Amino acid sequence: MKLRKAESRDAAQIAQVIKNAEDSGYMLFNPGEREISAESFGKFIDVLNANEKSGVFIACEEQQVVGYLIAQNENPQRISHRAYMVAGVHSDSRGKGVGKALFSHVIAWAKSVNLHRLELTVIEENASAVALYQKMGFEIEGVKRDSLLINGSYMDEYYMAKLL
């Protein structure tokens, strides 16, 4: 498995993995709720990668993108030490160490660019993701009660973070 920062030319493959991850029902968007064009996502990659403390990272197997992790940093000085993360792994590659490898890679990168805090949210019922994040050193800092409305039911999200 090869781990690297994505480039705009990877956008179409990443968009397919994002769609597949959203089909799981555990992401912010409902399955099929949004279309991501390769062109617009390629521009997003370029904008994010232009910020030293942000990036779109991918895991590839035989030139095929199988997972992604987006780390987004913002410019106000008071929050410039942190990045918000979103990750997804294609259903064919889940449970094979892709998520762990991506998080390990991005945590090392985050330290190299002097980030101090990595944060994310996750649906409370997504036990495998919560377990992965905890294994990677993320801690639950709070609960966003009734944060999401999924299939007519309110769901809680965990706030999780890792201090580097």
Side-chain angles (χ1 to χ4, degrees):
M1 175 182 343
K2 183 174 179 170
L3 302 162
R4 64 177 172 83
K5 213 169 197 184
E7 300 172 13
S8 56
R9 65 182 168 87
D10 299 310
Q13 283 193 45
I14 299 168
Q16 288 300 312
V17 177
I18 290 171
K19 181 189 178 317
N20 178 270
E22 289 176 350
D23 286 347
S24 73
Y26 283 123
M27 303 299 279
L28 178 63
F29 289 89
N30 283 321
E33 183 175 354
R34 70 171 169 167
E35 288 291 324
I36 301 173
S37 77
E39 182 180 346
S40 65
F41 198 74
K43 290 177 184 175
F44 174 77
I45 291 169
D46 289 341
V47 167
L48 228 56
N49 286 349
N51 177 342
E52 173 193 20
K53 294 183 178 184
S54 292
V56 178
F57 298 85
I58 54 175
C60 300
E61 290 182 355
E62 299 179 15
Q63 309 301 319
Q64 185 66 36
V65 175
V66 296
Y68 65 92
L69 197 158
I70 300 168
Q72 191 162 2
N73 169 262
E74 296 183 40
N75 290 325
Q77 188 173 11
R78 290 183 176 191
I79 61 171
S80 65
H81 65 285
R82 68 185 191 198
Y84 182 79
M85 304 172 78
V86 176
V89 175
H90 193 282
S91 58
D92 293 341
S93 297
R94 289 184 197 134
K96 298 179 180 178
V98 174
K100 182 179 178 184
L102 274 166
F103 272 89
S104 294
H105 182 80
V106 172
I107 288 167
W109 163 83
K111 290 176 181 176
S112 77
V113 296
N114 296 315
L115 285 169
H116 176 68
R117 177 183 169 87
L118 300 175
E119 48 192 36
L120 54 84
T121 57
V122 59
I123 297 173
E124 183 180 37
E125 289 188 0
N126 190 349
S128 60
V130 172
L132 169 65
Y133 305 151
Q134 288 176 324
K135 180 189 281 188
M136 300 309 302
F138 286 75
E139 296 179 16
I140 296 170
E141 293 186 332
V143 178
K144 292 172 68 175
R145 296 180 308 125
D146 291 354
S147 175
L148 302 170
L149 181 61
I150 301 174
N151 297 324
S153 297
Y154 291 103
M155 307 291 275
D156 294 346
E157 282 183 289
Y158 287 136
Y159 277 115
M160 297 184 78
K162 176 182 178 73
L163 300 180
L164 304 174

